Amino acid sequence: TDWERDRGSVMQQIADAFPGSVIVRSSAASEDQAGASNAGRFASVLSVVGPAALSSAIDTVVGSLPQGDGQDQFFVQPMLDNVRMSGVAFSREASSGAPYFVISYDDQTGTTDAVTSGRSAAVRTAYCHRSTMPAHRDLSRVAALLRELETLFDCDSLDIEFAVTTDD
């Protein structure tokens, strides 16, 4: 609603908060529900720099959202640099609900969307029973994050996107 009402103000708020490259993402009411995640259903635009590109990216994301009651939103966050690993992690095996952390990750391309886009041949998947922790440092940190989020959200069936940078 703010975007349609006053684009200039929204653009200035974003420019003030994020002076560098950003990603514009969807936040639809129909995403991330208990019964379905709908991950990747709506547009995201990566590596956006400059006012014209930002305006176009927001229009692209907003245009991908369902028309409805105004509950859908977009959000902007800094684009990560120096990505060492990125991927998607589940706190349960998706098809059976078995008690395994399932972490699909890319540690080769240095991008944030190699797993989520489905374009990378470098994707690997690790399964770890909930009673143990992976030996790999970064995978162990992702499993610890899943445990923390389960506590915060009081839910043991989560799926998240993650990235680890060389600064971590």
Side-chain angles (χ1 to χ4, degrees):
T1 303
D2 291 343
W3 177 244
E4 294 186 12
R5 190 177 306 136
D6 188 358
R7 290 174 175 239
S9 176
V10 172
M11 292 285 289
Q12 189 60 54
Q13 289 175 32
I14 294 168
D16 290 347
F18 308 112
S21 179
V22 297
I23 179 172
V24 180
R25 304 186 68 180
S26 64
S27 182
S30 62
E31 289 177 295
D32 300 326
Q33 296 182 0
S37 76
N38 285 321
R41 182 171 180 193
F42 307 108
S44 292
V45 182
L46 287 69
S47 302
V48 178
V49 179
L54 179 60
S55 181
S56 176
I58 293 171
D59 284 339
T60 296
V61 172
V62 169
S64 76
L65 296 170
Q67 302 300 309
D69 59 10
Q71 296 299 309
D72 298 322
Q73 301 176 6
F74 68 88
F75 68 97
V76 178
Q77 64 189 90
M79 192 68 203
L80 289 178
D81 295 320
N82 306 316
V83 174
R84 182 172 65 227
M85 175 191 287
S86 67
V88 178
F90 297 86
S91 60
R92 294 236 171 232
E93 198 283 320
S95 64
S96 68
Y100 288 88
F101 293 133
V102 181
I103 306 170
S104 294
Y105 65 98
D106 163 57
D107 59 359
Q108 302 296 309
T109 66
T111 65
T112 59
D113 66 338
V115 174
T116 57
S117 71
R119 292 188 311 255
S120 176
V123 175
R124 299 192 295 177
T125 302
Y127 292 83
C128 176
H129 193 273
R130 299 174 62 81
S131 64
T132 63
M133 290 296 269
H136 185 284
R137 178 179 177 261
D138 288 334
L139 295 180
S140 180
R141 293 172 69 201
V142 172
L145 174 62
L146 282 168
R147 289 183 197 279
E148 180 179 352
L149 291 172
E150 286 178 329
T151 300
L152 289 171
F153 289 106
D154 192 27
C155 178
D156 69 353
S157 183
L158 300 175
D159 64 289
I160 65 166
E161 293 178 34
F162 69 90
V164 178
T165 66
T166 57
D167 304 328
D168 294 329

